[in-house]
Amino acid sequence: MEIYKQCIQAQNNELVELTGIGLRRAIEFLVKDYGIFMLNHSDTDLTKEKISKDSLYNAIQDVFKDDTFIFEYIDESRWIGNNKTHYTDTSEDDSINEMFNFIEAAANLIVAKLTSLKARNHRNGRSKKKD
């Protein structure tokens, strides 16, 4: 979250070159933190070590393999972010704004999934009390 906040500050200060690189890093933290958190809440053969050490591309493939909706936002943000780190940037002029939009949409979907998980846990807790 701190990286993302700093990217907003960089954007507000027109530090476009740093904003793209920072957003790319923010995506990596979002994907890997979410993937590691979900290890205890899903059936998977992934491990914390694998997710941590994977390239961002592989981590996205692993963490969002069953969620193509979030995958699209995250992977496109990764592609734009990677372009921002290279000598020659082939992304569009408004790609930083698109990255912000894609990351925000993905983060909102992730929050919705985590809130749904919390609701399911509450429901399961209630049903156990009735037994």
Side-chain angles (χ1 to χ4, degrees):
M1 185 68 159
E2 187 60 33
I3 298 166
Y4 187 77
K5 288 179 187 177
Q6 289 181 17
C7 290
I8 292 170
Q9 290 175 332
Q11 177 76 351
N12 290 339
N13 289 306
E14 299 180 14
L15 302 172
V16 180
E17 300 297 324
L18 297 176
T19 304
I21 296 166
L23 286 173
R24 163 58 178 75
R25 185 167 186 215
I27 295 162
E28 185 153 354
F29 276 72
L30 176 65
V31 168
K32 292 183 177 187
D33 285 350
Y34 175 73
I36 290 167
F37 176 82
M38 290 303 291
L39 289 174
N40 295 328
H41 303 283
S42 60
D43 294 329
T44 181
D45 59 347
L46 294 175
T47 64
K48 181 178 179 179
E49 293 74 26
K50 180 172 180 2
I51 293 171
S52 298
K53 292 178 181 179
D54 255 351
S55 68
L56 178 56
Y57 178 79
N58 287 338
I60 292 169
Q61 295 287 326
D62 289 341
V63 171
F64 296 108
K65 68 180 174 197
D66 296 326
D67 197 332
T68 56
F69 201 56
I70 295 175
F71 174 88
E72 294 297 330
Y73 292 124
I74 293 290
D75 195 52
E76 187 60 18
S77 296
R78 176 200 59 82
W79 185 86
I80 296 168
N82 283 350
N83 268 322
K84 298 299 179 192
T85 66
H86 296 303
Y87 186 76
T88 304
D89 182 358
T90 60
S91 55
E92 303 294 323
D93 290 340
D94 64 346
S95 59
I96 293 293
N97 292 330
E98 287 180 341
M99 279 183 80
F100 275 114
N101 290 336
F102 294 157
I103 293 168
E104 186 175 320
N108 286 334
L109 290 168
I110 288 170
V111 167
K113 288 185 82 156
L114 294 175
T115 303
S116 174
L117 180 63
K118 187 174 185 179
R120 184 180 322 132
N121 289 339
H122 277 265
R123 188 178 62 243
N124 290 343
R126 262 195 333 272
S127 65
K128 288 180 181 177
K129 288 179 183 177
K130 291 179 182 178
D131 292 341

